[in-house]
């Protein structure tokens, strides 16, 4: 009896679908529809759908990989799921009011960025013994980066000093994955496929993540008029999310599949 309650990937996915099914009517209440000229709004729509599809994909593909990789795929699916729900709200704010959904954006990042950092830890933990300090240092870097960004974008602190604090948090993460303990464990103990995934993941954290401070720069630091700078800000953040949430998950999926099929 009890063992029938075991949660399979398929049941997990059915749960998610029903969640979306029940909650979606609530999002159509603003009364304003998407305009064909609203390219930022269109990007919110496209990406919210891509995030749902990715969530289904990562959860279903759990069945295909070896046990020690399943958590990594679950976490990838959670990242895209949490982001999808936030995109529904952000999309409505943008389409209905034309204003930047800063609070939803940062609540999303506050959950998804730590989950992405956990992925680094998990892919190493699948193949080696990793001290907890690695995990905490990645978390501290994340918090400094996001709190810096938020107090700047929400107007609590001048945009420039807030930006600098955020950059320092990001550099600290880069230090950990390129020169710190995480990178040493990877170089010393990981099999070739994990090493190459780790390297690709850290390139994403370097170049993919660099798109966000660029978005902030175009949004707040160029002195353009706010109507057009808010368009650039949102389109840049949206495109960055495709790479850093969906592509990042696909990389993990591909190493998990290739390591699982190895005999
Ligand atoms: C899924 C969401 C992700 C991966 C978000 C990442 C966000 C960043 C890397 C943000 C970085 C920022 C700085 C490095 C400086 C300050 C401004 C931020 C917060 C945009």
């Amino acid at each position: 009896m009890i063992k029938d309650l075991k949660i399979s990937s398929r049941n997990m996915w059915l749960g998610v679908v029903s969640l979306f099914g029940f909650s979606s009517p609530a999002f159509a209440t603003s009364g304003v529809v998407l305009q064909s000229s609203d390219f930022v709004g269109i990007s919110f729509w496209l990406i919210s759908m891509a995030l749902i599809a990715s969530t289904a994909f990562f959860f279903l593909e759990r069945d295909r990989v070896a046990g020690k990789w399943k958590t990594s795929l679950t976490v990838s699916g959670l990242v895209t799921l949490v982001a999808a729900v936030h995109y529904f709200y952000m999309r409505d704010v943008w389409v209905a009011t034309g204003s930047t959904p800063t609070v939803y954006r940062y609540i999303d990042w506050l959950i998804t960025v730590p989950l992405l950092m956990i992925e680094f830890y998990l892919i190493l933990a699948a193949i080696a013994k990793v001290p907890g300090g690695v995990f905490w240092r990645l978390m501290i870097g994340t918090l400094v980066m996001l709190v810096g960004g938020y107090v700047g974008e929400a107007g609590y602190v001048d945009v420039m000093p807030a930006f600098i604090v955020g950059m320092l948090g990001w550099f600290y993460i880069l230090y950990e994955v390129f020169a710190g303990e995480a990178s040493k464990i990877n170089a010393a103990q990981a099999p070739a496929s994990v090493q190459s995934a780790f390297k690709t993941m850290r390139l994403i954290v370097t170049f993919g993540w660099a798109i966000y401070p660029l978005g902030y720069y175009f949004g707040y630091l160029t002195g353009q008029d706010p109507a057009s700078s808010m368009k650039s800000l949102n389109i840049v953040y949206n495109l960055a999310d495709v790479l850093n949430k969906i592509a990042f998950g696909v990389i993990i999926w591909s190493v998990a599949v290739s390591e699982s099929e190895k005999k």
Side-chain angles (χ1 to χ4, degrees), residues 170-200:
W170 178 43
F171 290 147
Y172 187 60
I173 295 172
L174 290 177
Y175 170 81
E176 179 63 30
V177 296
F178 277 94
E181 207 172 357
S183 117
K184 288 179 188 134
I185 293 170
N186 175 58
Q189 300 179 42
S193 65
V194 172
Q195 290 212 18
S196 86
F198 189 90
K199 282 184 188 144
T200 314

Side-chain angles (χ1 to χ4, degrees), residues 79 106 108-109 112-113 116 145-146 148-150 153 162-163 166-167 170 209-210 212-213 216 237 241 244-245:
V79 167
Y106 274 85
D108 173 43
W109 289 356
T112 54
V113 180
L116 291 169
M145 178 177 90
L146 294 181
Y150 184 70
E153 292 202 48
F163 182 69
M167 292 296 274
W170 178 43
W209 285 25
Y212 297 96
Y216 186 106
Y237 282 172
D241 279 351
N244 294 296
K245 296 186 164 69

Side-chain angles (χ1 to χ4, degrees), residues 203-255:
L203 285 181
I204 290 195
V205 171
T206 312
F207 297 105
W209 285 25
I211 304 169
Y212 297 96
L214 278 176
Y216 186 106
Y217 174 82
F218 289 117
Y220 301 101
L221 301 170
T222 57
Q224 287 180 66
D225 86 282
S228 77
S229 70
M230 285 305 105
K231 281 187 190 159
S232 347
L233 177 87
N234 284 287
I235 207 111
V236 173
Y237 282 172
N238 287 0
L239 293 175
D241 279 351
V242 174
L243 179 64
N244 294 296
K245 296 186 164 69
I246 300 177
F248 194 89
V250 169
I251 291 169
I252 289 162
W253 165 80
S254 94
V255 66

Side-chain angles (χ1 to χ4, degrees), residues 95-158:
V95 171
T97 69
S99 58
T100 295
T102 303
V103 191
Y104 293 124
R105 179 82 74 183
Y106 274 85
I107 295 174
D108 173 43
W109 289 356
L110 189 63
I111 300 168
T112 54
V113 180
L115 286 171
L116 291 169
M117 293 284 91
I118 288 173
E119 294 280 33
F120 271 102
Y121 183 80
L122 284 177
I123 77 155
L124 292 180
I127 48 95
K129 209 165 159 35
V130 186
V134 170
F135 172 80
W136 289 113
R137 285 195 295 276
L138 292 171
M139 285 304 135
I140 289 167
T142 301
L143 278 181
V144 171
M145 178 177 90
L146 294 181
V147 169
Y150 184 70
V151 295
E153 292 202 48
Y156 294 111
V157 172
D158 282 347

